[in-house]
Amino acid sequence: MTPDPNWLDPGAFLRGVAWLDGGRPVRADPGDAARLPWDTRERAALPIGVRLEFTAPDGARAVELRYRARVPGTADALRDLAHCFALWEGDRCAAESFTEPAEEATVTIPLPPGPGPFTVHPPESQAPVILGVRGLGGRVAPAPRRSRWVVHGDSITEGWWSTRPPHAWPSAAGRALGLDCVNLGYAGSARGELATAQQLAALPADLLTLAFGTNCWSGVPCSAPLLYETTRAFVSLVRRGHPATPLLLVSPVLRPDAETTRNALGATLADLRAAMEEAVRDLVAAGDDRLALLPGAGVLTADDLADGLHPNDEGHARMAAAVTGALRDAGFAGAPAPAGASSGGCAGSGTGSRSGPGSGSV
C-alpha cells in the first residue's frame, strides 16, 4: 500500500521531549538506565508532559493523529483511566476526544476556527506513541519552538491527582510562562539520585527547576544532614552541565502526616525541608547567583490536597502560580502572560488521569 502523503512525521510537532528511545519519547536517558533505580526507570517510560503543538494556517477543521498505545490487561491498575486527547488553545481547553488504547488507531479532534496555535495533550497512562499527524480541510504545521524548561521532581511534579495532564502544575506554569516544559517527575522516586543529576546536566535546558525531597522522608529515609549534603551534591552535578542556567529549587510542600513525625532516621519533613533550604542558601552565599529558592511549606493548605499528600486541581493551580511568581521574582522568566493563562480548561469529568500512590511515596 502506498503511504498517504498527507500524514506528517510527528517529530516536528512534539514538545516536552527529553530523550527518544527508538523514536519513543522517554524521560530518562536510555543509554544510562542501568544506574537508575527501578522505580525511576518504570515512571520514565511514560510520556508525561509530552504533547503536540501546531498551527492551522489554512483553517483546518480538525486534526487527525495516528497512534499506538499499550492495551492494558484485565489486572492493569491503570486500565480505567481516561484515554483522552485534550485540545488546548492558549489558556483554555477547547475539546476532548475519548478513545481506547489500541495497537494502532486514529483519533479525530475538531479544531475551533482560526489558525491557533493549538496544543494536543495525549493520554499518558498507556504510553501512546504518535505515528502521524494530518489536518482535515487544511494544513497543519508545527508551532514555533519555545525555550526549554526542565522540571524534576516526584509524583507531585508528575501531576498525580490532577484530573487531566494539562492541569498538572508544570504544564500550567509552562503555559503561563510561554515555555516548553519538559516534565521529569518520577512518582515514588526523586530522592536526590545523583545519576539523575548527571542526566539533567547533559540535557539541553534554558531553565531548570528541582522539586524533590518528600520521598526522602518515607520511601528511602534521609536524615537532615544527609539531605543537606545530597542537595548540595545534586545541584553541583547539575551545574557541571549548566553552570549559568537559571535554577529554582522548590523545597517539599505541605504533607500533614509528615511535618512533625520522625522517620526511621529521626527526621521530620520540616527538618528535611529546612536542610534543603539551608543547602540552597549556602550555595548562593558561595557564589551561585543563578540559583533561587521557593520554600514549599506555605505553598499549599490542607484543602489543596486530594488525599493528604497530592494536590487536587486547585492545589496544582496554586503550585503553578507560586512557581511562576518565584521564577519571575528571581528574574528567570519574562513578563506575565495574559490574564488566566494558567487557568481554565475542560471540566475534569470522567476517570482521572493519574493513579493513586502506595506505601506513602509520592
Side-chain angles (χ1 to χ4, degrees):
M1 180 180 296
T2 303
D4 186 335
N6 294 318
W7 283 111
L8 303 174
D9 188 314
F13 295 83
L14 290 175
R15 302 292 184 270
V17 176
W19 292 271
L20 292 172
D21 185 8
R24 180 172 60 93
V26 294
R27 299 185 304 120
D29 184 352
D32 191 33
R35 294 196 304 140
L36 298 175
W38 72 267
D39 47 7
T40 301
R41 297 197 303 270
E42 180 180 76
R43 301 309 298 182
L46 295 178
I48 305 297
V50 175
R51 60 208 180 277
L52 298 99
E53 296 185 356
F54 60 95
T55 62
D58 302 328
R61 68 177 185 276
V63 64
E64 284 192 326
L65 304 179
R66 191 160 52 89
Y67 69 91
R68 177 188 301 119
R70 183 177 61 238
V71 178
T74 56
D76 193 322
L78 305 182
R79 66 174 289 108
D80 294 328
L81 296 183
H83 205 255
C84 171
F85 290 80
L87 177 79
W88 281 64
E89 183 179 17
D91 63 349
R92 71 183 187 94
C93 178
E96 289 188 328
S97 297
F98 292 86
T99 65
E100 295 296 331
E103 292 184 4
E104 187 167 331
T106 299
V107 59
T108 301
I109 306 167
L111 298 179
F118 303 105
T119 301
V120 171
H121 294 265
E124 299 170 342
S125 59
Q126 304 305 333
V129 176
I130 306 301
L131 304 173
V133 181
R134 69 180 176 185
L136 296 181
R139 292 182 304 119
V140 293
R145 297 277 180 179
R146 297 177 290 165
S147 297
R148 278 169 59 94
W149 175 35
V150 175
V151 184
H152 168 62
D154 48 42
S155 62
I156 295 172
T157 296
E158 195 175 273
W160 279 30
W161 292 124
S162 61
T163 55
R164 293 288 186 269
H167 298 314
W169 74 259
S171 291
R175 286 193 301 275
L177 296 167
L179 299 172
D180 176 8
C181 178
V182 179
N183 188 321
L184 301 185
Y186 306 129
S189 185
R191 299 170 293 257
E193 291 85 357
L194 299 186
T196 295
Q198 290 178 304
Q199 292 193 9
L200 291 174
L203 194 64
D206 301 297
L207 177 65
L208 294 156
T209 294
L210 307 177
F212 66 91
T214 298
N215 286 336
C216 298
W217 177 79
S218 53
V220 178
C222 276
S223 66
L226 177 57
L227 190 53
Y228 171 88
E229 295 296 345
T230 297
T231 302
R232 289 182 62 102
F234 196 99
V235 173
S236 296
L237 286 173
V238 171
R239 281 285 182 239
R240 297 189 69 174
H242 296 282
T245 303
L247 192 160
L248 174 72
L249 187 140
V250 184
S251 63
V253 297
L254 176 70
R255 181 174 177 174
D257 69 331
E259 294 295 330
T260 60
T261 303
R262 298 192 181 280
N263 67 12
L265 292 179
T268 67
L269 185 62
D271 296 333
L272 297 179
R273 183 185 297 117
M276 293 189 76
E277 294 172 2
E278 182 183 5
V280 172
R281 294 187 181 104
D282 287 350
L283 287 167
V284 172
D288 191 341
D289 61 358
R290 302 294 282 169
L291 176 63
L293 171 69
L294 172 59
V299 171
L300 300 178
T301 69
D303 290 340
D304 298 318
L305 303 177
D307 58 354
L309 180 60
H310 300 91
N312 52 31
D313 278 348
E314 291 75 16
H316 277 283
R318 191 182 295 273
M319 281 199 70
V323 170
T324 298
L327 289 170
R328 288 177 179 146
D329 289 346
F332 294 169
S342 61
S343 60
C346 299
S349 58
T351 307
S353 66
R354 302 295 197 276
S355 62
S359 305
S361 295
V362 300

